Amino acid sequence: MTSLDDMARRKLEALQSGALLRTLPGPNRTALNFCSNDYLGLAQDQRLKAAAAAALEHGAGAGASRLVTGNHALYAELEAKIAALKGEQAALVFGSGYLANLGTIPALVGPGDLILADELSHACMISGAKLSGAVVHTYRHNDVEHLRSLLEAHRPAAANCLVLTEGVFSMDGDLSPLPDIIAAARDHDAWVMTDDAHGLGVVGNGRGSAAHWNARPDVQMGTFSKAVGSYGGYVAASRPVIDLLVNRARSVIYATGLPPAVVAASIAGVDIIASDPALCARPLALARTFTAHANLPAAQSAIVPVVLGTPEAALKASTTLERQGFLVTAIRPPTVPANTARLRVTFSAAHREEDVLRLADAVRPFVR
Ligand SMILES: *Cc1c(COP(=O)(O)O)cnc(C)c1O
């Protein structure tokens, strides 16, 4: 009999020998944090904390799924506000961004349908795609010609087709060419869904990638756990699509609603993003200051990759930076493709420009 512990140890040893083992970091690191997704510094904002504290009055937990008794009135307020910010008719809040993708994609397409996804789409989009039972093909990153050729080859055999992409790519920081992707989809009777986890609060005056391009994807998914500074996921779309998700998205129907305090913090964060475009402009401005000084291509978002190749090289660079007081985690496969292990540097409105310039000096020796 194979012991479960032996199996686990063997797999961990294999990861260790490839410099791919992950461990949870300790809580007390004091270095300057250049790897969080808290792009506007709102996770520590007094207004969000006060909103959450006030909503604790309604209870620590939701007590049930939203369709049973967990649907606090704060949900409707958050859904109206995020729908307005994203320029959509309606929205649905999920327990997390991961749950939003996992529930939404199988609610929209299934067996007999086709999904075409950018090859760098986030793990939870790919999980949702696999779960749907649709045929899934990936197209080369941001390559609209490749997307068009896959549409030509596979669209005729499918009943419906959904194209998946990120608005701002989480590990590369580049934007997808949304107008061209939407045009290709329209030419082949396909729908477009964007994951804008890293666009909201940062591009398009804080409204995200669709606003940046003045484009209209059919479905815009996102999260309250990054620039909004809180937790939870959402999907914004037309009213019929949102009503369908209420009936079909299993991660909403069969999961407990978010605690009211979390929803209240998200409302406060969304309010700040909607009313403070100067704050939303700061992370990209700091990222551009960094790329200019580190001799890197100009940043397109708050995320700047410094690709180093092997996991060992990325780990070594990360350790070197930490000794100089900068926290920049190494990102290794399978989060990124083989041979593209990297530093993923992220910028926040809370950073000081002088610290960004010091980090650029520290990173420049690693730039090839
Ligand atoms: C973080 C992230 C998610 C998941 O969102 P959570 O709210 O953290 O579950 C989904 N998609 C992308 C692109 C992300 O970066």
Side-chain angles (χ1 to χ4, degrees):
M1 200 179 111
T2 315
S3 121
L4 183 58
D5 288 359
D6 287 346
M7 178 280 292
R9 280 194 202 99
R10 262 199 318 279
K11 290 195 168 167
L12 290 169
E13 276 158 21
L15 288 170
Q16 176 77 289
S17 69
L20 293 174
L21 188 69
R22 300 173 187 218
T23 55
L24 295 168
N28 289 321
R29 298 196 280 185
T30 51
L32 277 169
N33 185 348
F34 279 96
C35 50
S36 101
N37 301 314
D38 183 19
Y39 300 123
L40 301 174
L42 294 182
Q44 299 299 329
D45 190 282
Q46 203 48 46
R47 293 164 288 183
L48 273 75
K49 292 190 206 174
L56 270 178
E57 278 309 304
H58 304 298
S65 82
R66 295 187 58 193
L67 285 155
V68 182
T69 58
N71 197 33
H72 196 275
L74 287 165
Y75 270 107
E77 187 182 344
L78 178 57
E79 286 170 344
K81 286 186 163 163
I82 191 68
L85 190 65
K86 300 299 287 184
E88 294 284 356
Q89 264 177 7
L92 182 64
V93 171
F94 289 74
S96 71
Y98 204 110
L99 289 170
N101 274 332
L102 220 54
T104 299
I105 297 167
L108 301 179
V109 289
D113 295 332
L114 171 68
I115 291 175
L116 299 176
D118 187 289
E119 65 184 348
L120 296 188
S121 297
H122 193 265
C124 61
M125 293 196 110
I126 301 301
S127 295
K130 285 184 183 161
L131 203 56
S132 75
V135 171
V136 183
H137 292 282
T138 55
Y139 61 91
R140 287 189 293 273
H141 178 52
N142 278 348
D143 185 339
V144 180
E145 285 318 304
H146 191 211
L147 169 62
R148 280 188 180 275
S149 73
L150 290 176
L151 281 163
E152 270 152 36
H154 302 289
R155 177 68 185 93
N160 299 301
C161 175
L162 181 64
V163 176
L164 300 178
T165 184
E166 293 186 30
V168 173
F169 282 87
S170 60
M171 296 297 139
D172 292 73
D174 54 343
L175 274 63
S176 55
L178 272 188
D180 297 343
I181 289 170
I182 292 170
R186 292 290 171 267
D187 287 348
H188 294 270
D189 189 20
W191 308 313
V192 175
M193 173 171 168
T194 56
D195 177 332
D196 207 27
H198 301 277
L200 185 69
V202 177
V203 301
N205 262 329
R207 286 154 200 273
S209 57
H212 168 88
W213 293 104
N214 195 18
R216 263 324 270 282
D218 301 279
V219 182
Q220 300 186 59
M221 168 273 168
T223 175
F224 300 114
S225 65
K226 285 161 187 167
V228 179
S230 173
Y231 195 71
Y234 69 87
V235 168
S238 69
R239 174 52 67 189
V241 168
I242 295 303
D243 289 345
L244 179 68
L245 293 181
V246 170
N247 286 274
R248 286 283 170 77
R250 294 167 63 88
S251 57
V252 165
I253 299 168
Y254 300 108
T256 300
L258 283 168
V262 171
V263 179
S266 297
I267 292 172
V270 168
D271 281 344
I272 291 167
I273 289 173
S275 62
D276 195 346
L279 178 75
C280 297
R282 241 180 99 72
L284 177 55
L286 288 170
R288 291 222 164 118
T289 299
F290 172 79
T291 49
H293 283 262
N295 224 354
L296 289 160
Q300 295 177 46
S301 71
I303 303 160
V304 176
V306 183
V307 177
L308 299 172
T310 64
E312 289 85 354
L315 286 173
K316 188 156 167 266
S318 173
T319 307
T320 306
L321 291 176
E322 191 163 353
R323 267 192 232 112
Q324 298 175 56
F326 303 107
L327 200 60
V328 183
T329 41
I331 308 283
R332 295 166 285 166
T335 306
V336 292
N339 304 315
T340 71
R342 66 195 63 187
L343 297 172
R344 173 182 180 266
V345 192
T346 59
F347 295 88
S348 159
H351 286 140
R352 297 184 312 177
E353 186 165 287
E354 63 204 80
D355 292 327
V356 169
L357 293 173
R358 282 200 304 121
L359 176 66
D361 288 337
V363 166
R364 211 177 301 120
F366 299 113
V367 176
R368 291 184 289 190

